Amino acid sequence: MISVRDDLRALEGYHSPQVDVRVRLNTNESPFPPPQEWATEFAEAIAGIDWHRYPDRGATTLRAAIAALHGVNAANVFAANGSNEVLQTLLLAYGGPGRTVATFEPTYQLHAQIARISGATVVEGERNAEFRLDPAEIQRVLGTYAPEVTFLCSPNNPTGVVEPAAVVMELIESAPGLVIIDEAYAQFSDWSALELVREDRPMVVVRTFSKTWGMAAARLGYLVGPSWLVAELDKVVLPYHLDTAKQLAGTLALRYVVAMDDRVRFIVAERERLAAGLAAHPIDVIPSGANFILFRPRQMAGRALWEGLLAHSVLVRDCSGWPRLADCLRVTVGTEEENTAFLDALAAVVSAPSPVLSISES
Ligand SMILES: *Cc1c(COP(=O)(O)O)cnc(C)c1O
């Protein structure tokens, strides 16, 4: 019998349970597909692909389009199959055996997961009761462990909390190694760490097409960072990892920035409507700068509320069993109708808790 690497034996896979429901607000996707014009242009573009040829290995057109979006040079952009592959490539290059990676919990589980798969040791810093980063905790973690890589997710998943520029700067100035800012949700917040990227600073900002751009199916993400770091990643990543269709999908999508900005504004407005609706009940609402909201009922168990919503065919993410997130649930902002269905179901469950159903998430 062959056995997996010793250090992987205890690892559990990443799970995002799906249940068949009417209103699905559990995975932070965009409620809207990309514009129809994009779909038409993309269909025409893929009809012209030279399928017998390898793709442009450097994804030069795509990188140039992303660079133009952010006002940087193409040499400052690295793109991959979802931001998860960007993170994996970073960890292959700067994590790995004998190295330490720091996270501040609770946060996106895949940071620690991918770090461990790379062979690195993960150390966990703690966020405070408001799920924020305390300067003392930043100093403790960085001072004690001197991590080669430090993760910061802002807006943080699953809390929605946005770290202010001053805290991010402190982290960057105190970190002895690379700082990775995961900004999968940055378009929904009023501040981005992109302005802090500099050639002489070991810090990168990671973005994705999966959320704002409504392109989770395309698996496309990227980072903006120093050109010397991008050059290292280009050595580590598999050759031709970005297929031609994907490069076209991303490049064409960037022609629709105005339409995407409209959607972001709509989702932010709906997020505020959801936050107000949640706060009208005995529920703690964590202020969010993302396209989702973390909340915690004060007078019933989080799991009971999750089951009650499910009985109304509304699925949210049950975080109540996750470390540090007792009784917490996370709702993704959906369409206007979906959000209203969520608020209606919430009101019904909170005012008259339904008998606990034995529906299991699997
Ligand atoms: C959704 C999400 C991503 C996106 O990953 P992709 O691989 O680009 O789909 C990255 N980071 C965080 C924190 C997320 O929530």
Side-chain angles (χ1 to χ4, degrees):
M1 235 335 237
I2 66 158
S3 54
V4 75
R5 265 164 44 194
D6 288 347
D7 59 325
L8 295 185
R9 217 167 281 155
L11 212 64
E12 283 179 37
Y14 178 78
H15 299 290
S16 183
Q18 293 298 338
V19 183
D20 202 17
V21 288
R22 194 165 45 87
V23 179
R24 182 180 301 286
L25 300 174
N26 65 329
T27 49
N28 295 349
E29 291 153 321
S30 168
F32 310 112
Q36 182 54 46
E37 296 87 336
W38 171 86
T40 306
E41 278 190 317
F42 179 54
E44 283 166 14
I46 54 174
I49 289 178
D50 287 331
W51 287 105
H52 57 305
R53 300 296 182 194
Y54 277 106
D56 171 9
R57 185 167 171 179
T60 37
T61 308
L62 174 63
R63 285 199 209 198
I66 294 169
L69 176 70
H70 295 304
V72 298
N73 296 321
N76 298 113
V77 175
F78 174 79
N81 292 285
S83 53
N84 285 327
E85 196 191 30
V86 176
L87 300 176
Q88 183 187 53
T89 310
L90 282 164
L91 287 162
L92 288 174
Y94 294 97
R99 292 186 164 217
T100 302
V101 174
T103 62
F104 290 91
E105 301 293 329
T107 191
Y108 189 47
Q109 292 167 16
L110 278 172
H111 295 160
Q113 170 94 357
I114 301 170
R116 289 196 178 101
I117 292 170
S118 84
T121 301
V122 176
V123 294
E124 294 181 340
E126 299 292 327
R127 289 166 188 265
N128 67 21
E130 279 79 50
F131 300 119
R132 298 197 161 276
L133 283 189
D134 278 334
E137 178 66 355
I138 293 176
Q139 296 309 328
R140 183 188 73 81
V141 172
L142 301 183
T144 309
Y145 301 106
E148 275 82 7
V149 177
T150 302
F151 273 103
L152 178 65
C153 190
S154 176
N156 188 33
N157 183 5
T159 62
V161 169
V162 182
E163 294 300 336
V167 172
V168 176
M169 251 340 271
E170 170 166 358
L171 190 77
I172 292 169
E173 281 171 354
S174 314
L178 174 65
V179 175
I180 302 177
I181 316 270
D182 187 335
E183 286 200 346
Y185 303 97
Q187 290 92 338
F188 305 106
S189 86
D190 47 18
W191 182 76
S192 163
L194 270 173
E195 65 188 52
L196 300 178
V197 173
R198 280 183 19 187
E199 195 61 18
D200 60 356
R201 192 175 268 165
M203 172 259 193
V204 296
V205 173
V206 181
R207 294 275 183 106
T208 178
F209 281 72
S210 297
K211 311 288 161 55
T212 318
W213 291 91
M215 288 174 65
R219 309 303 304 125
L220 184 58
Y222 61 92
L223 68 71
V224 177
S227 61
W228 50 265
L229 180 140
V230 170
E232 298 296 344
L233 300 184
D234 280 330
K235 286 190 240 165
V236 169
V237 77
L238 292 175
Y240 308 111
H241 65 131
L242 282 182
D243 64 77
T244 303
K246 186 186 316 261
Q247 293 186 33
L248 287 168
T251 304
L252 293 173
L254 295 175
R255 294 184 185 169
Y256 296 93
V257 174
V258 174
M260 289 305 163
D261 285 345
D262 283 346
R263 289 162 183 218
V264 168
R265 265 192 296 278
F266 170 82
I267 288 169
V268 168
E270 282 291 295
R271 179 187 74 207
E272 296 314 308
R273 181 166 79 91
L274 283 179
L278 281 158
H281 302 291
I283 292 175
D284 295 330
V285 182
I286 314 305
S288 170
N291 67 338
F292 57 84
I293 299 174
L294 191 77
F295 61 98
R296 184 172 44 209
R298 287 194 293 269
Q299 294 172 3
M300 66 192 296
R303 180 73 189 183
L305 177 52
W306 182 83
E307 288 177 349
L309 292 170
L310 194 57
H312 287 81
S313 206
V314 174
L315 180 64
V316 300
R317 194 76 190 262
D318 179 14
C319 310
S320 65
W322 300 2
R324 307 170 184 85
L325 291 168
D327 288 318
C328 290
L329 305 181
R330 188 193 71 193
V331 60
T332 304
V333 181
T335 62
E336 191 175 347
E337 297 71 29
E338 289 171 329
N339 300 333
T340 300
F342 165 77
L343 289 174
D344 290 348
L346 182 77
V349 177
V350 171
S351 59
S354 48
V356 173
L357 305 173
S358 54
I359 299 166
S360 66
E361 237 191 322
S362 63

